[in-house]
Amino acid sequence: MTGIISELLGSGSIIMNILAAGGAGYIGSHTCIALLEAGHSVIVADNLVNSTGRTLERISDITKKDFVFYKIDVTDRAAVDEVFSNNAIDGVIHFAGHKSVSESAEKPLEYYYNNTVSTMVLAKACVKYGTGRFVFSSSATVYGDNKVPFTETMELCPTTNPYGETKVISERILRDSVRSHRGLSVSLLRYFNPIGAHNSGLIGEQPLYVPNNLMPYIIEVANKKLDKLLIFGNDYPTPDGTGIRDYIHVMDLAEGHVAALEYLKEGVVVFNLGTGKGTSVLQLIKTFEETNDIKIPYEFVQRRTGDIAICYADVSKAEQELNWKAGRDLADMCRDAWRFGKNGQ
Ligand code: WQD
């Protein structure tokens, strides 16, 4: 049975029931807001291992809308089956992955198991219940150390860590599933570097454990929980010697998911979600300092193993086909990240 597409919005867009697996996490929670604001209904499935129930309350506070929540692990087939049998689900967005590159090297089995089994369990449920739309949280990491800008048609390079491999493998599982299950449409969204927070300051990136990524560290320094930021390498072949990344505001990324869900057609489509602009570590620090009027002391240390010099997207495909474009700039990202981060949340 196909999920019920309940009604048409005035604009002609369809209202859908969307299962957000991992919807309480950083990208998931912001996407739930974008989905609810676009008029869709949301069902969150999350085991809260790296998120909290408070985030879910805040999604409701911000949107003034309710949604259904299941505290389940999406590697649990019986639990996922129950969610599908109790709800007419039109589409799934799978954010429920472990995401720390360094932790993935320490716990490869946990990463391979969680990130690929969750993909298979959700895809199997889609096939069983006739849910046609599947959006997958992939990562620019699948491009490895390719030549920039990264385009969707590039051959994927080996990644340097188990986390990256789980994304490559999950993409392959979904491609193969689509080949033999007509009616299943998949969108592989390759995220670049999401930072920032919802402009209410109520939700944002909240690493429950030691942070790995740059912005959470900048926030720790700004909050004086750390004396200084360690910059991993100043001898890269870039104008200032520090690594270059394509930072994207998490709300732009969230809105990209809504566009991708509404666009889906039979088969597999791949989109880069980035801004297309490269920013160095030093440029990001400078923008953060100027926007928020806070000094971020730093020290250069050795390169981090596995890091590449430059990573930014070719975003022309998403802009043309999804009619979506990241509109928020680096200052917006720094201001919104700090509005949330300064409360030490
Ligand atoms: C950005 C830049 C660092 C911390 C990873 C994953 C990717 C995606 C996002 C997961 C680099 C430098 C960082 C610090 C530093 N996935 N840096 N000091 O490595 O581009 O991407 O996270 O969610 O798949 O690979 O992001 O934020 O860790 O690093 O100098 O304390 O900041 O060397 O140049 P990365 P990042």
Side-chain angles (χ1 to χ4, degrees):
M1 189 189 71
T2 308
I4 298 162
I5 295 173
S6 3
E7 44 186 306
L8 286 171
L9 291 168
S11 62
S13 313
I14 39 178
I15 295 179
M16 293 179 275
N17 269 335
I18 303 302
L19 175 64
Y26 175 44
I27 298 166
S29 58
H30 289 82
T31 304
C32 286
I33 291 177
L35 287 165
L36 291 164
E37 284 178 346
H40 299 296
S41 300
V42 171
I43 298 147
V44 172
D46 199 303
N47 61 3
L48 303 182
V49 284
N50 197 20
S51 53
T52 64
R54 199 171 57 157
T55 302
L56 296 171
E57 287 163 21
R58 290 185 167 184
I59 295 171
S60 287
D61 294 345
I62 292 166
T63 58
K64 311 265 181 290
K65 289 186 179 170
D66 288 328
F67 57 89
V68 181
F69 171 56
Y70 289 87
K71 185 172 181 297
I72 60 160
D73 189 316
V74 293
T75 60
D76 179 341
R77 288 174 71 168
V80 168
D81 200 270
E82 199 180 320
V83 174
F84 275 77
S85 68
N86 289 335
N87 298 275
I89 295 171
D90 299 302
V92 171
I93 311 183
H94 177 17
F95 307 99
H98 293 333
K99 63 168 189 176
S100 160
V101 169
S102 56
E103 191 184 50
S104 78
E106 288 154 28
K107 302 176 182 169
L109 286 173
E110 204 170 305
Y111 269 67
Y112 281 111
Y113 184 84
N114 182 76
N115 290 7
T116 64
V117 172
S118 56
T119 304
M120 290 185 273
V121 169
L122 289 167
K124 266 176 93 77
C126 284
V127 171
K128 178 173 172 187
Y129 288 91
T131 298
R133 294 167 192 252
F134 195 113
V135 173
F136 179 64
S137 291
S138 189
S139 165
T141 199
V142 300
Y143 292 113
D145 200 2
N146 252 303
K147 192 170 164 296
V148 285
F150 297 161
T151 56
E152 290 89 345
T153 49
M154 270 177 171
E155 194 139 331
L156 305 186
C157 281
T159 64
T160 49
N161 55 79
Y163 162 76
E165 291 305 298
T166 67
K167 295 297 176 189
V168 174
I169 295 167
S170 292
E171 285 199 4
R172 199 174 308 138
I173 289 168
L174 291 168
R175 280 182 191 280
D176 288 345
S177 307
V178 162
R179 243 176 249 130
S180 52
H181 296 292
R182 289 179 63 81
L184 182 63
S185 308
V186 170
S187 189
L188 305 173
L189 300 184
R190 295 180 179 156
Y191 308 157
F192 282 69
N193 288 61
I195 58 171
H198 188 265
N199 66 9
S200 61
L202 291 176
I203 64 164
E205 188 168 16
Q206 197 174 9
L208 292 186
Y209 308 106
V210 185
N212 269 275
N213 300 116
L214 180 56
M215 186 55 89
Y217 269 110
I218 293 179
I219 298 291
E220 296 259 293
V221 176
N223 272 325
K224 306 212 177 328
K225 289 187 186 158
L226 287 174
D227 295 343
K228 59 190 170 215
L229 178 76
L230 301 181
I231 299 183
F232 302 138
N234 62 344
D235 55 354
Y236 282 108
T238 61
D240 65 24
T242 65
I244 288 182
R245 296 292 182 270
D246 184 340
Y247 297 98
I248 174 171
H249 195 293
V250 66
M251 280 311 297
D252 279 325
L253 187 71
E255 288 158 14
H257 287 73
V258 179
L261 252 181
E262 291 174 354
Y263 170 89
L264 268 174
K265 36 188 171 195
E266 209 163 307
V268 178
V269 281
V270 187
F271 290 110
N272 284 339
L273 296 185
T275 62
K277 295 187 196 90
T279 301
S280 73
V281 177
L282 285 176
Q283 285 172 321
L284 183 64
I285 292 172
K286 188 161 178 277
T287 308
F288 188 94
E289 290 183 331
E290 287 172 1
T291 309
N292 298 314
D293 199 17
I294 296 174
K295 196 93 199 102
I296 302 294
Y298 60 81
E299 181 188 329
F300 294 117
V301 295
Q302 291 277 311
R303 290 182 181 191
R304 184 171 63 178
T305 314
D307 271 356
I308 58 173
I310 309 179
C311 166
Y312 61 90
D314 177 333
V315 287
S316 51
K317 187 176 176 209
E319 289 183 6
Q320 283 157 21
E321 292 188 31
L322 294 181
N323 198 20
W324 163 92
K325 190 176 178 1
R328 296 159 177 95
D329 66 15
L330 210 57
D332 296 326
M333 301 180 213
C334 290
R335 191 181 42 252
D336 292 340
W338 181 233
R339 190 181 289 126
F340 175 75
K342 71 182 169 196
N343 301 320
Q345 314 206 35

